Amino acid sequence: KEKTHERCKNICPPKDTFDRTLLHTHDKSRTDLDQVPKIFMKPDFALDDSLTFNSVLPWSHFNTAGGKGNRDAASSKLLQEKLSHYLDIVEVNIAHQISLRSEAFFHAMTSQHELQDYLKKTSQAVKMLRDKIAQIDKVMCEGSLHILRLALTRNNCVKVYNKLKLMATVHQTQPTVQVLLSTSEFVGALDLIATTQEVLQQELQGIHSFRHLGSQLCELEKLIDKMMIAEFSTYSHSDLNRPLDDDCQILEECVINKVSRIEEIDTDVVVKLADQMRMLNFPQWFDLLKDIFSKFTIFLQRVKATLNIIHSVVLSVLDKNRRTRELEEISQQKNAAKDNSLDTEVAYLIHEGMFISDAFNESELTPIAIDTTSQRNASPNSEPCSSDSVSEPECTTDSSSSKEQTSSSVTPGGVDILVNEDMKLTDLELEKLANNIQELLYSASDICHDRAVKFLMSRAKDGFLEKLNSTEFITLSRLMETFILDTEQICGRKSMSLLGALQSQANKFVNRFHEERKTKLSLLLDNERWKQADVPAEFQDLVDSISNGKIALPEKKSGVTEERKPAEVLIVEGQQYAVVGTVLLLIRIILEYCQCVDNIPSVTTDMLTRLSDLLKYFNSRSCQLVLGAGALQVVGLKTITTKNLALSSRCLQLIVHYIPVIRAHFEARLQPKQYTMLRHFDHITKDYHDHIAEISAKLVAIMDSLFDKLLSKYEVKAPVPSACFRNICKQMAKMHEAIFDLLPEEQTQMLFLRINASYKLHLKKQLSHLNVINDGGPQNGLVTADVAFYTGNLQALKGLKDLDLNMSEIWEQKR
């Protein structure tokens, strides 16, 4: 091609002529290129841009609307010819540019030919080098590598041989286990299975012929487990089913015997044992429950005795293991300097039903036939011990590591064997076993409690337990609490099922207890006529016992007691309380709540809530009946008198007096985290004080209304004292007579001071209305005489002699 090009060059015109022609053509091309619009020369020219598209192809050339079709068609044709002309100019310029670079094209082709020659020479050099390397490999390397391969093959063959020996021994595992099981050697069989499984998982892992052996060994383990459980269950069953004592039968027979002794139960009509048991009355059923609890306690003591023996054996083995480990450490320290050559192959010996496996020292081997297998105790990555492939020191090292994992034990037949540590229970497993034994005792206790709960619930189906009176339920509760404490002392842990059942029944008892007493209080209040009641001697004794610090109902005295007359008032710590009969019974009810808390401590919080509700109910209901005048409709009273109000106030004061005592009683029986519940008593005390204050305000309001009515008609004129003041003094005397025997003297004085203040206020208002002033005139003298009469009469009343009336406040201050 290059030669052809040279020949063409000779034919072409001279260079200077060609250059002039070329220059002329170049100028012409540049002139033509100037005709092409600049938009086509932009590097970002793209027709998908709407502005570029509209500039190149204006829409005006394609619009045929408005009757200008012919002109638009001509314009479109002209645009097409113009674009074709631009294309021709560009193609001519491209061809010109290519012709200017023809020399460079031919030079590139020449360079390619030279590169092909270089590649051919390089390929020949590489071929020669490979031939030389092949000769060197054949002469110097092939023989040596073949020797190394043979050595590796020999080592692999040794490993395969040892594996086959080990497989042959493992193949005999199942028959050996059967032989051991036939003689009840469960421990030896389990040791053999554990060792074989370890070998299968480590050294024979992936062997196809043994793919089912692992699962078969697991099934054998499960079979041995069932056999041991059956044997142990047989022993346990025979031991625990022994009579609990010489005269007692088994637990199930206990109930049957008890029911069969009751003549009222016709066993032919009532077939089911549970139905027969429900026909027992409380004393009979309680004796039966007590007997059952006694048998359960003996049963748990027997279980504990059996488990204690097992537990002591486990702890003995644990202690022996620790002492053996200490002796081994001492022995290893003594023999650390000795160079012992040990065979690392595993020995399996079947002799009189015994299984022996471990690495033996040649000097310690007995004359018993030993079938050896390789490397059961060596790590999976260690090389096999062989006289042909591994040196003697390496064997010693592997055997030493295996020796550290073994320990010696003596069988009952007197054969000294070495047992792999992996076959033994570790200290952690022994401790876990000891804990499981303790958990077994817990389970036995839980079962006894669950059976007791079942017995309790079967009797409670007909509401029998909810109908028990306080004494019966407290007796039952104490029996159950005693049984719970006894089992806790035996087992070391409190079972919760019976305790939960007791708590559930206690809650039901508390609800019934509270509803009965609240209903009783409601009936008493609805029939209360709010008159002062006599106080029987027993109630006086009741409050006296509270004053001595004993919050409990007094015990009924047996025998003949002398009759004591009732008192008019209740004496509490030297103070007299005039009360109604309902309050006396309320005090007794409150003490019943407190005593119930002492007898059943688990219901303390519930009782506190219920007692708070009872006290609130008494306060609100008494307020409705007296202050709210509800007693007019409920009891049929004609009116609510000042005596009724004063008596109601005094009854409230008696309850308020005992609230701190009740609070202290509950506080001593609550946990510190429950002290917040005591705030109920604070709220109740405030409510009672508010009620008492409202009653006092009501008494003052009664007199205030009277003063307003009488003093509004007061006229300052003779005679003296006036009829108005005589009437006021008469009403004040009636008020004093009504409340003085009911309220303490200091309360009476405070009440009359408030009444006097109301009197002075109304009198001052009336004098201001009558324009009577303190000027020493006739009217002033008449008023002074009336006031003196009022003051004298008021201070003449009992307990009001030293009352400071300060009557000067009735006059308007001079301005």
Side-chain angles (χ1 to χ4, degrees):
K1 292 183 177 57
E2 188 176 7
K3 291 179 180 180
T4 303
H5 178 64
E6 291 295 334
R7 186 168 57 255
C8 290
K9 286 173 59 177
N10 295 330
I11 298 175
C12 290
K15 183 175 178 55
D16 54 349
T17 305
F18 177 77
D19 291 341
R20 287 194 299 272
T21 304
L22 186 63
L23 181 62
H24 176 72
T25 304
H26 177 65
D27 293 339
K28 186 174 182 299
S29 298
R30 288 187 61 85
T31 304
D32 292 340
L33 279 176
D34 291 339
Q35 299 178 11
V36 180
K38 299 299 181 181
I39 190 173
F40 292 103
M41 303 302 177
K42 291 183 178 180
D44 57 348
F45 177 79
L47 286 177
D48 54 359
D49 182 21
S50 59
L51 296 177
T52 303
F53 185 85
N54 292 331
S55 299
V56 175
L57 298 173
W59 284 103
S60 58
H61 293 279
F62 304 99
N63 188 6
T64 58
K68 300 179 181 180
N70 294 332
R71 191 177 60 182
D72 290 341
S75 177
S76 299
K77 186 175 181 181
L78 179 62
L79 177 62
Q80 183 178 359
E81 291 177 355
K82 184 187 297 184
L83 294 175
S84 299
H85 177 65
Y86 293 159
L87 179 62
D88 293 340
I89 292 174
V90 171
E91 288 178 349
V92 169
N93 276 272
I94 289 174
H96 176 66
Q97 293 296 329
I98 292 174
S99 65
L100 292 178
R101 289 164 176 76
S102 60
E103 292 290 338
F105 290 154
F106 284 106
H107 180 68
M109 294 178 63
T110 303
S111 300
Q112 185 178 10
H113 290 310
E114 292 177 356
L115 182 60
Q116 290 177 353
D117 293 339
Y118 290 149
L119 290 175
K120 185 175 181 181
K121 292 178 182 180
T122 303
S123 176
Q124 292 175 354
V126 169
K127 183 178 180 182
M128 292 175 62
L129 181 60
R130 285 182 174 177
D131 292 339
K132 291 180 181 179
I133 291 174
Q135 293 176 1
I136 292 172
D137 179 60
K138 185 176 182 180
V139 173
M140 301 182 65
C141 301
E142 188 173 345
S144 302
L145 291 176
H146 183 64
I147 293 172
L148 294 176
R149 292 193 190 97
L150 290 177
L152 183 60
T153 301
R154 182 182 181 280
N155 289 336
N156 290 338
C157 291
V158 171
K159 292 181 180 180
V160 171
Y161 171 71
N162 292 332
K163 290 287 183 184
L164 290 174
K165 288 173 65 178
L166 186 58
M167 290 171 63
T169 305
V170 169
H171 186 65
Q172 298 298 320
T173 298
Q174 287 178 298
T176 305
V177 171
Q178 297 296 336
V179 173
L180 293 174
L181 292 180
S182 64
T183 58
S184 298
E185 287 288 342
F186 300 116
V187 177
L190 290 174
D191 286 344
L192 178 56
I193 291 174
T195 305
T196 305
Q197 286 178 333
E198 180 186 354
V199 172
L200 287 175
Q201 292 174 1
Q202 294 183 1
E203 301 179 37
L204 297 182
Q205 188 175 9
I207 302 298
H208 187 72
S209 58
F210 286 151
R211 65 187 183 278
H212 300 304
L213 183 58
S215 59
Q216 293 171 356
L217 292 177
C218 290
E219 292 299 325
L220 277 176
E221 273 190 331
K222 294 179 182 178
L223 175 62
I224 294 172
D225 182 52
K226 291 180 180 178
M227 294 173 65
M228 295 177 69
I229 290 175
E231 191 167 320
F232 183 77
S233 298
T234 302
Y235 160 75
S236 301
H237 191 267
S238 61
D239 178 68
L240 295 178
N241 275 335
R242 289 184 291 112
L244 297 177
D245 53 52
D246 296 335
D247 299 327
C248 294
Q249 301 296 323
I250 306 305
L251 295 178
E252 287 77 6
E253 299 175 1
C254 175
V255 178
I256 297 173
N257 293 341
K258 195 73 176 180
V259 171
S260 64
R261 297 193 191 103
I262 308 301
E263 296 179 357
E264 291 82 0
I265 299 177
D266 188 355
T267 56
D268 295 332
V269 178
V270 185
V271 180
K272 292 184 179 180
L273 181 61
D275 295 335
Q276 296 174 4
M277 183 266 295
R278 291 191 191 98
M279 297 181 68
L280 300 176
N281 57 31
F282 178 76
Q284 295 169 341
W285 181 80
F286 182 79
D287 292 339
L288 176 59
L289 181 62
K290 186 189 298 184
D291 198 16
I292 290 175
F293 282 165
S294 175
K295 300 301 185 292
F296 276 148
T297 304
I298 298 173
F299 173 78
L300 288 176
Q301 289 172 345
R302 182 173 295 173
V303 172
K304 183 178 181 181
T306 303
L307 294 179
N308 280 344
I309 296 174
I310 303 174
H311 191 261
S312 62
V313 172
V314 172
L315 294 181
S316 177
V317 173
L318 186 60
D319 183 63
K320 182 179 179 181
N321 286 350
R322 290 172 180 170
R323 286 188 282 106
T324 302
R325 195 158 49 245
E326 293 174 358
L327 292 175
E328 286 180 354
E329 293 176 356
I330 296 174
S331 177
Q332 289 175 3
Q333 292 174 1
K334 290 181 179 180
N335 299 329
K338 295 181 180 181
D339 186 16
N340 297 326
S341 177
L342 299 176
D343 185 6
T344 58
E345 295 181 344
V346 180
Y348 290 84
L349 174 60
I350 308 302
H351 177 68
E352 297 180 354
M354 304 306 300
F355 169 73
I356 304 175
S357 66
D358 212 327
F360 288 84
N361 193 318
E362 292 181 1
S363 61
E364 297 174 353
L365 289 177
T366 60
I368 303 173
I370 300 176
D371 182 18
T372 61
T373 57
S374 66
Q375 291 199 33
R376 187 171 60 83
N377 292 322
S379 63
N381 297 326
S382 60
E383 291 294 328
C385 247
S386 174
S387 58
D388 297 330
S389 61
V390 183
S391 62
E392 184 176 346
E394 293 174 349
C395 289
T396 304
T397 302
D398 289 342
S399 278
S400 300
S401 64
S402 177
K403 189 70 176 178
E404 291 174 0
Q405 300 177 1
T406 62
S407 62
S408 176
S409 62
V410 181
T411 65
V415 181
D416 189 7
I417 65 174
L418 293 173
V419 183
N420 194 329
E421 284 291 336
D422 294 337
M423 298 179 185
K424 289 184 177 181
L425 291 176
T426 63
D427 291 354
L428 183 61
E429 290 172 334
L430 287 171
E431 291 173 357
K432 184 178 180 181
L433 179 58
N435 293 334
N436 289 341
I437 292 172
Q438 187 63 36
E439 288 295 331
L440 185 59
L441 184 58
Y442 295 157
S443 299
S445 175
D446 292 341
I447 290 173
C448 290
H449 280 250
D450 292 340
R451 294 291 295 272
V453 170
K454 186 177 180 181
F455 178 81
L456 190 69
M457 292 298 103
S458 64
R459 191 66 182 93
K461 282 186 177 179
D462 55 356
F464 172 76
L465 298 180
E466 298 179 14
K467 298 175 185 177
L468 299 179
N469 58 42
S470 301
T471 304
E472 291 174 338
F473 187 83
I474 289 169
T475 305
L476 174 62
S477 175
R478 287 178 176 173
L479 176 63
M480 295 173 67
E481 289 175 352
T482 302
F483 175 70
I484 292 171
L485 291 176
D486 291 342
T487 55
E488 182 180 2
Q489 291 176 356
I490 295 173
C491 303
R493 190 190 72 174
K494 181 181 291 185
S495 296
M496 302 306 296
S497 58
L498 185 59
L499 186 63
L502 174 60
Q503 186 63 43
S504 176
Q505 292 299 322
N507 292 337
K508 293 179 180 178
F509 168 76
V510 168
N511 289 333
R512 182 179 59 82
F513 180 92
H514 176 64
E515 290 301 325
E516 287 179 354
R517 280 146 185 81
K518 188 173 182 179
T519 302
K520 181 179 180 180
L521 178 62
S522 177
L523 293 175
L524 290 172
L525 287 171
D526 289 345
N527 290 279
E528 181 60 61
R529 302 191 66 84
W530 298 100
K531 292 182 178 180
Q532 184 177 355
D534 292 335
V535 180
E538 59 176 309
F539 285 97
Q540 184 61 57
D541 295 339
L542 192 66
V543 297
D544 290 342
S545 65
I546 299 176
S547 300
N548 296 330
K550 183 180 179 182
I551 304 181
L553 294 174
E555 298 179 359
K556 293 183 179 179
K557 298 179 181 179
S558 59
V560 181
T561 57
E562 60 174 313
E563 294 184 0
R564 293 182 293 172
K565 293 182 179 180
E568 293 183 358
V569 292
L570 188 68
I571 308 298
V572 180
E573 296 181 0
Q575 291 191 18
Q576 295 182 355
Y577 285 88
V579 294
V580 296
T582 301
V583 172
L584 292 176
L585 294 174
L586 177 59
I587 295 295
R588 185 179 182 86
I589 291 174
I590 291 173
L591 293 186
E592 289 176 354
Y593 277 80
C594 295
Q595 188 173 18
C596 187
V597 168
D598 290 337
N599 294 327
I600 313 176
S602 60
V603 300
T604 301
T605 54
D606 287 341
M607 278 296 182
L608 189 152
T609 305
R610 301 300 194 284
L611 180 56
S612 301
D613 178 66
L614 189 74
L615 294 175
K616 290 178 181 177
Y617 176 77
F618 174 76
N619 184 44
S620 60
R621 186 60 178 157
S622 62
C623 181
Q624 293 170 4
L625 292 172
V626 181
L627 272 179
L632 300 180
Q633 291 79 25
V634 175
V635 188
L637 296 180
K638 295 181 179 180
T639 182
I640 302 297
T641 65
T642 55
K643 196 164 189 175
N644 297 142
L645 292 170
L647 194 58
S648 173
S649 175
R650 197 58 175 155
C651 292
L652 294 172
Q653 293 174 30
L654 178 62
I655 301 300
V656 170
H657 174 80
Y658 281 115
I659 286 179
V661 180
I662 301 169
R663 177 193 174 106
H665 181 81
F666 277 90
E667 185 175 3
R669 288 152 183 80
L670 288 175
Q671 299 294 331
K673 61 182 179 181
Q674 299 172 333
Y675 285 167
T676 54
M677 298 188 66
L678 297 173
R679 69 181 185 276
H680 291 299
F681 292 115
D682 299 332
H683 298 159
I684 293 170
T685 303
K686 181 179 181 302
D687 293 341
Y688 272 67
H689 281 304
D690 292 343
H691 190 181
I692 294 169
E694 289 177 6
I695 293 176
S696 298
K698 182 66 174 179
L699 291 172
V700 175
I702 292 173
M703 297 304 296
D704 183 79
S705 175
L706 180 65
F707 294 150
D708 182 61
K709 179 180 179 182
L710 295 177
L711 290 174
S712 63
K713 300 177 181 180
Y714 173 60
E715 296 179 359
V716 183
K717 62 182 181 178
V720 176
S722 64
C724 175
F725 272 74
R726 284 198 206 93
N727 199 1
I728 289 175
C729 291
K730 182 180 178 181
Q731 295 298 329
M732 293 287 278
K734 286 183 178 181
M735 168 68 77
H736 180 271
E737 181 183 2
I739 68 173
F740 184 76
D741 293 333
L742 301 178
L743 298 180
E745 184 175 334
E746 61 274 9
Q747 292 187 22
T748 305
Q749 291 177 352
M750 291 299 297
L751 180 63
F752 273 88
L753 281 176
R754 293 177 61 185
I755 293 173
N756 182 64
S758 174
Y759 160 76
K760 290 189 292 183
L761 183 63
H762 284 282
L763 179 58
K764 182 178 180 179
K765 179 180 178 183
Q766 183 64 16
L767 293 177
S768 176
H769 176 69
L770 297 174
N771 293 320
V772 178
I773 60 175
N774 188 14
D775 56 357
Q779 287 187 327
N780 178 259
L782 292 173
V783 172
T784 302
D786 284 336
V787 170
F789 173 77
Y790 164 81
T791 304
N793 277 273
L794 187 59
Q795 290 181 340
L797 298 176
K798 189 176 180 180
L800 304 183
K801 181 178 180 181
D802 299 328
L803 206 63
D804 185 11
L805 301 179
N806 193 13
M807 300 305 295
S808 61
E809 295 178 354
I810 65 173
W811 303 107
E812 287 283 352
Q813 297 293 331
K814 293 182 179 180
R815 298 181 180 177

